Amino acid sequence: MKTEKLPITLTEEGVFYKEIIGAEDYNKTTKCTYFLMVLFSEGSGTHYIDAVEYPIKGKQLHFLFPGQHHHWITGPETNAQKIVVGKKVFETFSSLSEIYFIRHNLHPVFKLSTALFDVIFNEMKNIQRDLLAQESDGKWNEIVRLRIDILVSLIKKEAGDYLKENLLGTSNVIIDSFWDLVNVNFAAHKRVTWYAERLHVTSNYLNILCRKHLHITASNVIYQRIIQEAKGLLKFSDKSIKEIAFHLGFESLSAFSTFFKNITGYSPSDYKGHSS
């Protein structure tokens, strides 16, 4: 990973930090190939994400995913920190499955409490400092990656709390029960039919409800939960990849490897090596 001078030519394994001070008219209407986090200490203006307008205000966190479109026009009093993360680094995040789930269910702007704002502000400043250190010592590479993973985990927690309190709490009793069942049984049961039978609905109806309330299929809910667990074990446990495969209920190492690569684009060994 490395920092770049403006204009940005961000590599897939690159990380870039910039402060936004005052008025800026930034236009990136083509599809982005990176993950973006912007923390506004103060601000005004408008951030357009996929043609939706979001007013810019103080103590807000904005985030953008690869494949989305955006541009913004900021006011003169704006003060913000921006971190841009290349797609390959983004794909290694331990929270990625939940983050993608959040993308499809929440708008990409959060008003933060003062306490959480201060935590994220300090983490971004730490990343700025570590990127500068990395320019002269490549050993800071992993520290930068871990700090960004922490930052993404904070976003996941904030968005996950909102999701649980607002979306799931007001959606549908079957969806709520499905969500709980998946979190307990994802390793042993990977077929939608198993969950549908216990919820006394058809698989087709469960899929209809998932698309309506969660904007993804029932299978994707299960698969994303498995991938989330797999990434955590690959990144933080001492288990071998074969042990992880059987722990997650796969019949063979090859079945797990195929499943993992089809969803993430990485083999389990590549992901484990990239994260270590």
Side-chain angles (χ1 to χ4, degrees):
M1 294 186 293
K2 60 182 181 179
T3 55
E4 301 281 353
K5 306 301 182 184
L6 287 176
I8 303 173
T9 305
L10 186 71
T11 67
E12 288 192 339
E13 295 187 357
V15 175
F16 173 83
Y17 173 96
K18 180 191 174 185
E19 286 187 309
I20 303 169
I21 300 175
E24 179 173 289
D25 187 349
Y26 177 81
N27 195 332
K28 183 69 174 179
T29 55
T30 57
K31 284 187 177 181
C32 297
T33 58
Y34 50 74
F35 180 70
L36 171 72
M37 294 174 279
V38 187
L39 183 69
F40 289 93
S41 301
E42 301 291 340
S44 64
T46 305
H47 192 182
Y48 302 87
I49 302 176
D50 289 338
V52 179
E53 298 183 12
Y54 298 96
I56 296 171
K57 299 179 181 179
K59 290 187 171 62
Q60 279 184 343
L61 179 66
H62 297 218
F63 53 96
L64 188 89
F65 294 84
Q68 291 188 290
H69 304 72
H70 85 118
H71 73 276
W72 62 57
I73 301 172
T74 62
E77 72 278 22
T78 299
N79 190 305
Q81 301 178 77
K82 176 172 75 172
I83 290 179
V84 185
V85 180
K87 192 173 186 298
K88 281 192 176 179
V89 179
F90 174 69
E91 292 291 342
T92 68
F93 292 161
S94 58
S95 302
L96 182 61
S97 295
E98 287 189 359
I99 288 291
Y100 264 125
F101 179 81
I102 289 163
R103 169 186 170 177
H104 291 291
N105 291 284
L106 301 172
H107 66 76
V109 175
F110 286 95
K111 176 68 175 179
L112 304 177
S113 66
T114 298
L116 184 57
F117 171 84
D118 289 342
V119 170
I120 293 178
F121 180 91
N122 289 331
E123 283 298 328
M124 285 192 165
K125 284 296 183 184
N126 287 336
I127 290 169
Q128 178 192 27
R129 180 199 64 202
D130 294 346
L131 282 170
L132 290 173
Q134 184 190 30
E135 290 181 352
S136 58
D137 186 350
K139 293 179 181 178
W140 286 86
N141 185 344
E142 180 60 20
I143 294 173
V144 170
R145 185 182 299 144
L146 289 172
R147 286 203 185 279
I148 293 172
D149 207 2
I150 290 169
L151 201 54
V152 172
S153 295
L154 288 169
I155 296 172
K156 180 200 74 172
K157 182 182 184 305
E158 179 74 2
D161 289 347
Y162 181 93
L163 181 69
K164 184 176 180 181
E165 294 170 9
N166 294 276
L167 182 64
L168 291 178
T170 59
S171 58
N172 180 282
V173 65
I174 294 175
I175 291 296
D176 294 347
S177 298
F178 177 52
W179 184 268
D180 291 337
L181 278 172
V182 169
N183 275 295
V184 174
N185 298 286
F186 64 91
H189 300 285
K190 299 174 176 60
R191 294 184 178 276
V192 174
T193 52
W194 187 89
Y195 295 92
E197 287 172 2
R198 275 141 193 84
L199 295 169
H200 307 292
V201 297
T202 66
S203 298
N204 184 57
Y205 184 61
L206 183 57
N207 264 312
I208 290 170
L209 290 177
C210 285
R211 288 184 182 278
K212 177 180 178 180
H213 295 283
L214 304 178
H215 310 295
I216 58 175
T217 67
S219 293
N220 280 335
V221 173
I222 301 165
Y223 296 164
Q224 288 184 9
R225 184 63 184 88
I226 296 167
I227 288 295
Q228 176 196 343
E229 189 74 11
K231 283 187 172 183
L233 291 170
L234 288 166
K235 193 166 189 176
F236 300 114
S237 79
D238 294 328
K239 293 180 181 292
S240 68
I241 296 174
K242 185 175 182 179
E243 288 173 328
I244 292 170
F246 289 119
H247 175 78
L248 293 175
F250 288 88
E251 295 181 355
S252 66
L253 175 58
S254 62
F256 171 62
S257 296
T258 299
F259 172 84
F260 191 89
K261 187 167 186 178
N262 283 344
I263 293 179
T264 68
Y266 285 89
S267 69
S269 57
D270 286 343
Y271 179 82
K272 189 176 182 67
H274 195 76
S275 300
S276 62

